[in-house]
């Protein structure tokens, strides 16, 4: 009988410990996206309860504006918390971001309705979103950098892809909960109180995520640094590298716009615009989450083999050329089958592009400000593009009377991503060198 050698046992232990570290560090991403998706999916109920206005369109726009306001806090969180994580370490910083995020989640779940406490209700919802946005500004960057520094040589794209993959699990769970509520409760019950139940589920898993985060180990790469920079030096370094941060923001524009279009906005688009059933929209969202979960590691692993640039360029060009035609085909004859086909096509864009993009963004950032620079670029893109995608899409449809108009917004974001990719990989030797060294 063959017995394993010490080297084999050591390799198995290393793989299992790295898998455990991936689960621990991405757990916070699960909570973040779980709550963000719930806010988008239940936007129609939230608009009536917290933002009553003269019309459904006005209430929905107010709700999506508050949803987007949380993203405006992300750049501030990236600067403040990102610098903190670069100074004190990945483990301590990610525990702080989780604490702030959990506070916002609990607040939104427990706020009484407008009819009960008046204007204080929307104000408290806004505060909860601002807290979530401030935390998320550095959460995603901190997790991505942790995974990049944890990765084995030549597999950085594959490792960092699990940052986004964990978010897809959250979308699947949230959509499944919504589907079950839709089966068990009447629309009136969901509108009155049922929509809060998934938010309470998010509150209930906070202690579990805290336990997972507390057991994280600091990355060897951070511990090997001679002397982490302080916050002021971190901010000065980001100013010196503002061109890289700006290009990184444009690089992220494609992925964050696609993501919020096919996940957060999909349920509202399906119900309010295409007039499909709630069940159809939720089933499509679950399928999109599963598709994203599949394509993300594929995109990351493929970029490890062929390079980041070919993946980013190819997917951006496809998105520019096909986003509007695909949505126009869907809107011409709305059906469950067409919606599923179009959203899975856009999901392919997101998974492949994002799988390569996260590793690329980590590689182009100077090591001393890696978390802050990554977080600021991602947060600016999310604030200016992704976070306002539901609001922009709603406005475009209203202004143009074209139900496929969100395709213009996605094509524009893809053009930004393509421009940034060509600029970065033409002018930045660091990006190519880092990618080859990974």
């Amino acid at each position: 009988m063959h017995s394993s050698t010490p080297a084999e046992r050591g390799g198995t232990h290393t793989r299992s410990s790295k898998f455990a570290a991936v689960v621990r560090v991405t757990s916070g991403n699960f909570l973040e996206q779980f709550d963000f998706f719930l806010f988008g999916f239940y936007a129609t109920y939230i608009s009536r309860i917290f933002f009553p206005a003269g019309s459904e369109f006005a209430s929905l726009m107010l709700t999506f504006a508050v949803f987007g306001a949380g993203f405006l806090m992300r750049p501030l969180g990236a600067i403040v918390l990102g610098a903190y994580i670069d100074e004190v370490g990945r483990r301590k910083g990610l525990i702080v971001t989780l604490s702030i995020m959990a506070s916002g989640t609990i607040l939104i779940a427990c706020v009484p309705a407008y009819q009960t406490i008046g204007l204080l209700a929307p104000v408290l919802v806004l505060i909860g979103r601002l807290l979530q946005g401030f935390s998320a500004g550095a959460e995603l960057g901190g997790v991505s950098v942790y995974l990049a520094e944890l990765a084995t040589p030549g597999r950085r794209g594959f490792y960092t892809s699990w940052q986004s993959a964990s978010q897809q699990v959250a979308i699947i769970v949230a959509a499944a909960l919504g589907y079950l509520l839709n089966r068990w409760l009447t629309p009136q019950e969901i509108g009155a109180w049922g929509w809060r139940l998934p938010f309470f589920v998010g509150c209930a898993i906070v202690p579990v995520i805290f336990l997972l985060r507390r057991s994280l180990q600091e990355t060897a790469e951070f511990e090997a640094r001679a002397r982490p920079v302080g916050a002021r030096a971190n901010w000065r370094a980001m100013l010196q590298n503002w061109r890289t941060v700006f290009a990184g923001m444009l690089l992220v524009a494609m992925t964050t716009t696609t993501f919020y279009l096919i996940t957060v906005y999909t349920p509202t688009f399906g119900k309010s615009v295409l007039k499909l059933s709630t069940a159809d929209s939720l089933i499509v969202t679950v399928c999109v989450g599963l598709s994203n979960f599949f394509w993300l590691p594929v995109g990351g692993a493929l970029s490890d083999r062929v390079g980041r640039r070919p993946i980013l360029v190819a997917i951006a060009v496809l998105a520019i050329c096909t986003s509007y035609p695909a949505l126009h085909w869907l809107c011409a004859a709305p059906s469950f089958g067409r919606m599923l086909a179009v959203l899975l096509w856009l999901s392919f864009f997101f998974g492949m592009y994002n799988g390569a993009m996260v590793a690329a963004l980590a590689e182009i950032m100077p090591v001393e400000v890696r978390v802050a620079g990554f977080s600021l670029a991602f947060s600016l893109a999310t604030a200016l593009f992704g976070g306002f995608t539901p609001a922009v899409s709603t406005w475009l449809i209203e202004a143009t009377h074209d139900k496929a108009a969100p395709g213009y917004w996605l094509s524009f974001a893809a053009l930004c991503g393509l421009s940034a990719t060509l600029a970065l990989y033409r002018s930045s030797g660091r990006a190519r060198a880092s990618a080859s060294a990974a």
Side-chain angles (χ1 to χ4, degrees):
M1 180 181 295
H2 172 73
S3 60
S4 61
T5 65
E8 290 172 334
R9 290 193 298 271
T12 302
H13 174 72
T14 300
R15 287 192 295 271
S16 63
S17 62
K18 288 199 171 186
F19 172 78
V22 169
V23 172
R24 292 188 188 104
V25 76
T26 57
S27 59
N29 273 338
F30 175 93
L31 177 64
E32 172 197 344
Q33 199 53 54
F34 183 79
D35 291 309
F36 277 31
F37 175 80
L38 290 178
F39 197 99
F41 173 66
Y42 291 108
T44 52
Y45 300 111
I46 292 173
S47 65
R48 297 167 191 159
I49 291 173
F50 297 116
F51 304 97
S55 68
E56 182 179 351
F57 169 73
S59 295
L60 200 57
M61 283 299 294
L62 284 172
T63 303
F64 281 140
V66 169
F67 180 76
F71 294 94
L72 293 179
M73 285 294 289
R74 287 195 172 202
L76 180 60
I79 293 171
V80 176
L81 295 176
Y84 176 75
I85 295 173
D86 277 323
E87 182 177 2
V88 305
R90 317 316 187 200
R91 177 185 176 276
K92 291 181 180 178
L94 288 172
I95 291 176
V96 171
T97 60
L98 179 60
S99 302
I100 299 172
M101 186 191 308
S103 300
T105 298
I106 294 170
L107 180 59
I108 292 175
C110 300
V111 173
Y114 181 91
Q115 292 183 340
T116 304
I117 59 174
L119 286 174
L120 188 58
V123 170
L124 289 175
V125 171
L126 176 61
I127 291 173
R129 286 290 300 136
L130 295 179
L131 286 173
Q132 288 181 327
F134 183 73
S135 166
E139 165 74 17
L140 190 147
V143 170
S144 299
V145 168
Y146 186 96
L147 293 171
E149 294 178 350
L150 178 74
T152 53
R155 304 194 71 190
R156 184 177 289 167
F158 178 74
Y159 268 77
T160 55
S161 69
W162 292 103
Q163 175 271 122
S164 294
S166 67
Q167 296 180 337
Q168 311 317 308
V169 177
I171 290 169
I172 294 167
V173 172
L177 280 174
Y179 180 80
L180 291 175
L181 286 179
N182 190 59
R183 294 290 301 272
W184 294 338
L185 303 177
T186 66
Q188 292 74 25
E189 290 173 330
I190 295 176
W193 53 269
W195 66 270
R196 292 185 188 265
L197 295 179
F199 283 92
F200 288 135
V201 171
C203 296
I205 65 176
V206 166
V208 177
I209 298 175
F210 264 111
L211 290 175
L212 291 173
R213 277 279 170 93
R214 288 189 64 183
S215 61
L216 273 178
Q217 299 296 314
E218 188 55 78
T219 66
E221 185 171 336
F222 178 84
E223 291 182 331
R225 286 165 56 185
R227 180 177 176 272
V229 298
R232 290 185 180 180
N234 189 293
W235 298 336
R236 285 196 298 269
M238 279 197 294
L239 284 175
Q240 292 170 356
N241 291 276
W242 70 268
R243 289 182 179 85
T244 301
V245 173
F246 180 76
M249 177 195 74
L250 296 180
L251 188 71
V252 179
M254 157 75 178
T255 193
T256 187
T257 300
T258 309
F259 178 73
Y260 284 98
L261 182 68
I262 66 176
T263 56
V264 174
Y265 183 61
T266 290
T268 300
F269 183 69
K271 289 184 296 183
S272 301
V273 179
L274 301 181
K275 306 304 180 182
L276 299 177
S277 71
T278 299
D280 284 348
S281 297
L282 283 169
I283 292 172
V284 168
T285 304
V286 170
C287 293
V288 165
L290 291 169
S291 175
N292 291 346
F293 187 82
F294 172 79
W295 288 116
L296 281 162
V298 171
L302 187 61
S303 75
D304 287 331
R305 297 182 65 87
V306 305
R308 320 293 182 214
R309 184 180 184 274
I311 303 295
L312 297 174
V313 169
I315 297 299
V317 169
L318 274 176
I320 292 169
C321 296
T322 67
S323 294
Y324 179 81
L327 285 172
H328 181 75
W329 176 74
L330 166 61
C331 295
S335 67
F336 171 79
R338 287 198 176 198
M339 187 177 182
L340 180 61
V342 170
L343 269 293
L344 289 180
W345 176 239
L346 299 182
S347 167
F348 168 72
F349 292 168
F350 167 74
M352 293 295 291
Y353 185 94
N354 194 78
M357 186 279 300
V358 174
L361 188 60
E363 289 162 354
I364 65 174
M365 291 298 166
V367 64
E368 67 272 11
V369 292
R370 183 173 284 163
V371 174
F374 184 111
S375 299
L376 183 58
F378 213 109
S379 297
L380 286 171
T382 307
L384 298 177
F385 291 88
F388 282 99
T389 288
V392 170
S393 298
T394 302
W395 178 82
L396 282 173
I397 293 171
E398 182 75 11
T400 64
H401 304 290
D402 181 357
K403 295 178 180 180
Y408 294 129
W409 179 238
L410 180 54
S411 294
F412 172 69
L415 181 61
C416 291
L418 176 62
S419 302
T421 299
L422 296 176
L424 284 168
Y425 283 88
R426 181 177 64 247
S427 61
S428 176
R430 180 173 65 247
R432 289 189 294 271
S434 298
S436 62

